[in-house]
Amino acid sequence: MPKNILTRGRNRALTRHHKIALAGVATLGAAAVAFSAVPSNASAKTTTEAAAAPAQVAFSTEQIKDVRASVNGQVAGASLQAEIAAKKAAAEAAAKKKAAAEAAKKAAEAAKQKAAAEAAKKAEQERKAKEAASRAAERAKLKKAAAKKSYPNNLDGWIRESLDVMKKHDIPGSYNGIKRNILRESSGNPNAINNWDINAINGVPSKGLLQVIPPTFKAYHVPGTSWNIYDPVANITAACNYAADRYGSMDNVNSAY
């Protein structure tokens, strides 16, 4: 009984200071137990290395996946851009080639059309030149035909045609002088021939409208007329040419000459 009384007499409430002290003692005790648990052969170095070992860093697999996906996306994007650029370049090259081919085709067509136009123009010029030459030839022909007078086949016509020929060759003579001598020599007969005068006796009878002997006709023949001594125009012009040389003109002849 006294024991219990003693115990109760010493049981007092712990102060704050007492609680702190007790906590410190407990801490020291725990530390001592921890040191006593370390093996005796363990060195301080091991402890130090263990304490100095860096803490392991934990990486998330989701982050790695995101990085890989980003890299793959960038590579794929670059490849796609390169493919697009290549396609664009190929399309531009094809467009340029097509444009060049179309330009060459247009140039060839233009050259062909130009050549055809020039050929047509040349052909037209040649056609016009031929037509002009043909018209000129036709005009010359008509002019020549118009210039050539038509003479009646009688004494009047023969004298007038002879006068035109004589005019071209500057042989003098008049209508009246020619007609007067014709009527005296042959009475206007172009086939008249003298078989009784001295010329006939000598074998060269006088012939034609103005009774010209063959040697005289041949010597005084006028170009552009017939070589037939009986031709009226040829006979008159040759006789007038002789008379102009011998007497100055047929107008000056009033008898046999």
Side-chain angles (χ1 to χ4, degrees), residues 2-257:
K3 182 178 183 179
N4 293 335
I5 293 172
L6 182 57
T7 304
R8 284 194 301 268
R10 294 181 179 183
N11 188 12
R12 291 180 297 183
L14 295 176
T15 64
R16 183 174 179 274
H17 180 74
H18 290 161
K19 291 179 180 180
I20 293 172
L22 289 174
V25 172
T27 302
L28 290 174
V33 172
F35 280 110
S36 64
V38 177
S40 60
N41 58 352
S43 63
K45 180 179 179 181
T46 303
T47 304
T48 304
E49 290 177 354
Q56 297 294 325
V57 178
F59 294 97
S60 172
T61 58
E62 294 297 329
Q63 293 178 348
I64 294 174
K65 289 180 179 181
D66 291 340
V67 171
R68 288 179 178 176
S70 177
V71 171
N72 291 336
Q74 292 177 359
V75 172
S79 178
L80 180 60
Q81 291 178 356
E83 184 178 356
I84 292 173
K87 289 182 177 180
K88 184 178 179 181
E92 291 177 352
K96 288 181 179 179
K97 185 176 181 181
K98 183 178 180 181
E102 290 179 352
K105 183 178 180 181
K106 289 181 179 179
E109 185 65 24
K112 184 178 179 181
Q113 291 178 355
K114 183 179 179 181
E118 290 178 351
K121 183 178 179 181
K122 184 178 180 180
E124 180 65 15
Q125 290 176 345
E126 291 178 351
R127 184 186 65 79
K128 289 181 178 180
K130 288 181 179 180
E131 289 181 353
S134 178
R135 287 193 297 268
E138 186 65 22
R139 284 195 299 268
K141 184 178 180 180
L142 292 174
K143 185 177 180 180
K144 184 177 180 181
K148 186 176 181 180
K149 294 180 180 179
S150 178
Y151 305 95
N153 189 23
N154 54 32
L155 182 58
D156 178 73
W158 301 332
I159 295 173
R160 293 186 184 280
E161 185 174 355
S162 295
L163 285 170
D164 287 339
V165 175
M166 291 164 58
K167 184 178 181 180
K168 292 178 181 178
H169 294 276
D170 296 322
I171 301 173
S174 67
Y175 181 92
N176 290 330
I178 294 173
K179 184 175 182 179
R180 174 171 50 81
N181 280 284
I182 288 175
L183 292 177
R184 188 190 67 249
E185 292 292 334
S186 65
S187 301
N189 180 10
N191 295 315
I193 183 170
N194 187 330
N195 291 316
W196 54 267
D197 65 2
I198 188 64
N199 291 319
I201 295 172
N202 292 330
V204 281
S206 301
K207 301 177 180 180
L209 289 174
L210 284 171
Q211 293 295 285
V212 183
I213 62 176
T216 301
F217 176 80
K218 184 177 181 181
Y220 290 92
H221 174 266
V222 178
T225 62
S226 172
W227 281 95
N228 183 359
I229 196 172
Y230 292 105
D231 180 84
V233 175
N235 189 278
I236 293 172
T237 54
C240 288
N241 192 24
Y242 166 74
D245 183 54
R246 182 79 179 268
Y247 304 102
S249 171
M250 182 61 74
D251 295 344
N252 299 328
V253 177
N254 295 301
S255 62
Y257 60 104

